[in-house]
Amino acid sequence: MSSATGVAPVLADSSPEDRTARLLAGFADGADERATRARPAYAPRIDRAFARFAEKVGEPMQAWAAEALVQTPGETVFYPFAGADFPTAHRMYPLAARYVLIAMQRGGPPPDPAAQGREALGELLAGYERLLSAFLRRGFFVTAEMNAETGNDAAIRGITGALMVFAAREGFELLGVDPVALADDGTLTLHPGDRTRAATWDSVRLRLRRRADGQPVLLEYLRVGLSNNTLKPETPALTLVTGLSDARVILKAASHLPQDNNFTVLTRLLLSRAPTIVQDETGVAYDALRGRFSVKLHGSFKQVNLLFDGSDQETLIEAYRTAGKIDRLPFHVGYRKGAAACMLVATRATVTSDAR
């Protein structure tokens, strides 16, 4: 599933969103003369960045996940604190039918390069080059950088365009993009608001078709707070997250928020409901995980990133130290911390079908 080669060309009857996604993804068949004049080196630079990511991270991650994780066709994947990181969700669970990413950035309307003048189009492409290249180099988004590149004064308005690019690069045809809203009963519905207003596009649903087999897939990005202040009893947000907690869960580069006292409602839901949690050290605390899950350690862990307090990680450090031989992860993931990356695969002990 290379993100740089072997991808079906854009079709004449493809959606405007699909054509935009392929242009911004750097595919030659998606380029147009205006974009080439506005930023001549954009497509080759983006193509090279995705090729490096596929080689160093994407393909090794998918190969690792095929062995380390249970893969159930048609399932739902829940990725809190994700930002626009669809590649991780898809590479870990390539057979899912629904991916739900939650963060606090605005989704935003689909970008429309055709409506941009040459100077504005050049600024738009430059913004996407910076935003995408930074992710592809690190494997995660830095919140401050993302906010700067997608804020009110930036050429990029929200992260929907990045999601569109990732979908195209991960082998999907983009059928359409819709704004969604959280209904009173905690379900998602098409947003009834004016589509010309930015607030209508806080949360988005990308309707995709997997090019490999033609299967429909949903990618939903939701701007929903995950702190205790938002997930209060009898609120739509709590109902939504409670339901999503029954799905496969990914936690990566989560700023250790699931270990914070302000996020205990979310953490309790994941601990009580999730069948599996795959995470780096920034997810649910190791002591809490091993009380309810069978936890398999992958990679290496000796310290947290220096930006975070590592005082509550001693148990996890000791677990790695005493675990004996653990294979090194074949890809980098999460924050840099002066040691090899780590992943924990937690499988609920009572769900025997999830054990390998």
Side-chain angles (χ1 to χ4, degrees):
M1 191 182 297
S2 170
S3 63
T5 60
V7 179
V10 66
L11 301 176
D13 61 349
S14 63
S15 70
E17 293 91 345
D18 189 63
R19 293 193 290 273
T20 294
R22 295 180 72 81
L23 185 154
L24 296 177
F27 285 129
D29 62 27
D32 62 29
E33 292 183 4
R34 292 177 61 257
T36 301
R37 290 195 300 269
R39 194 162 181 82
Y42 178 81
R45 285 175 178 168
I46 290 296
D47 193 59
R48 286 194 297 270
F50 271 101
R52 287 193 298 270
F53 177 81
E55 178 186 2
K56 300 293 186 181
V57 179
E59 291 170 2
M61 178 184 288
Q62 187 166 335
W64 171 82
E67 295 295 325
L69 308 179
V70 172
Q71 305 286 336
T72 306
E75 64 191 347
T76 295
V77 175
F78 177 34
Y79 188 176
F81 311 109
D85 183 13
F86 179 51
T88 292
H90 181 244
R91 295 290 174 154
M92 287 191 175
Y93 293 103
L95 302 179
R98 184 189 182 202
Y99 301 88
V100 183
L101 282 52
I102 290 185
M104 286 304 295
Q105 287 74 34
R106 173 167 290 153
D112 186 7
Q116 305 284 334
R118 180 172 177 175
E119 182 177 349
L121 179 56
E123 292 177 358
L124 181 73
L125 294 175
Y128 275 108
E129 187 175 329
R130 291 190 299 269
L131 182 68
L132 296 169
S133 297
F135 171 85
L136 295 168
R137 185 174 62 253
R138 298 189 187 104
F140 61 91
F141 288 102
V142 174
T143 300
E145 292 180 0
M146 186 190 300
N147 290 343
E149 291 289 1
T150 63
N152 292 333
D153 297 327
I156 301 172
R157 298 297 176 90
I159 65 173
T160 297
L163 292 167
M164 293 165 60
V165 169
F166 289 144
R169 279 286 176 173
E170 289 296 305
F172 291 93
E173 178 187 358
L174 186 55
L175 302 179
V177 182
D178 297 300
V180 293
L182 188 57
D184 291 342
D185 63 357
T187 60
L188 295 173
T189 183
L190 291 180
H191 200 297
D194 182 353
R195 292 195 173 204
T196 65
R197 298 183 64 243
T200 301
W201 292 89
D202 275 1
S203 300
V204 295
R205 173 182 290 150
L206 280 65
R207 292 177 283 109
L208 310 175
R209 179 160 55 211
R210 200 156 46 215
R211 292 183 183 272
D213 58 11
Q215 290 298 307
V217 172
L218 290 181
L219 168 56
E220 293 169 329
Y221 171 79
L222 309 180
R223 190 188 190 199
V224 175
L226 294 173
S227 72
N228 296 348
N229 287 334
T230 301
L231 302 182
K232 293 182 178 179
E234 300 181 7
T235 60
L238 179 61
T239 302
L240 171 78
V241 173
T242 299
L244 290 173
S245 297
D246 291 333
R248 306 282 184 197
V249 173
I250 298 173
L251 293 166
K252 179 174 78 72
S255 299
H256 296 269
L257 294 178
Q259 302 159 22
D260 189 291
N261 286 335
N262 292 317
F263 292 84
T264 55
V265 173
L266 171 67
T267 300
R268 284 198 297 266
L269 284 172
L270 300 183
L271 286 171
S272 64
R273 302 178 71 96
T276 55
I277 301 174
V278 55
Q279 64 170 56
D280 62 12
E281 77 279 0
T282 69
V284 177
Y286 176 66
D287 280 347
L289 277 179
R290 66 177 180 171
R292 304 198 185 196
F293 295 80
S294 171
V295 183
K296 186 169 184 180
L297 308 178
H298 297 262
S300 173
F301 181 65
K302 297 178 181 178
Q303 66 182 65
V304 301
N305 182 282
L306 296 179
L307 292 175
F308 301 97
D309 178 14
S311 60
D312 57 353
Q313 297 291 310
E314 294 302 322
T315 304
L316 181 58
I317 293 171
E318 180 66 10
Y320 269 93
R321 189 185 69 80
T322 59
K325 179 174 170 41
I326 302 176
D327 290 338
R328 185 184 181 93
L329 279 177
F331 55 92
H332 67 76
V333 64
Y335 304 130
R336 305 299 183 269
K337 42 193 179 292
C342 78
M343 292 297 289
L344 286 66
V345 179
T347 303
R348 188 169 301 283
T350 57
V351 184
T352 56
S353 62
D354 283 342
R356 280 195 173 184

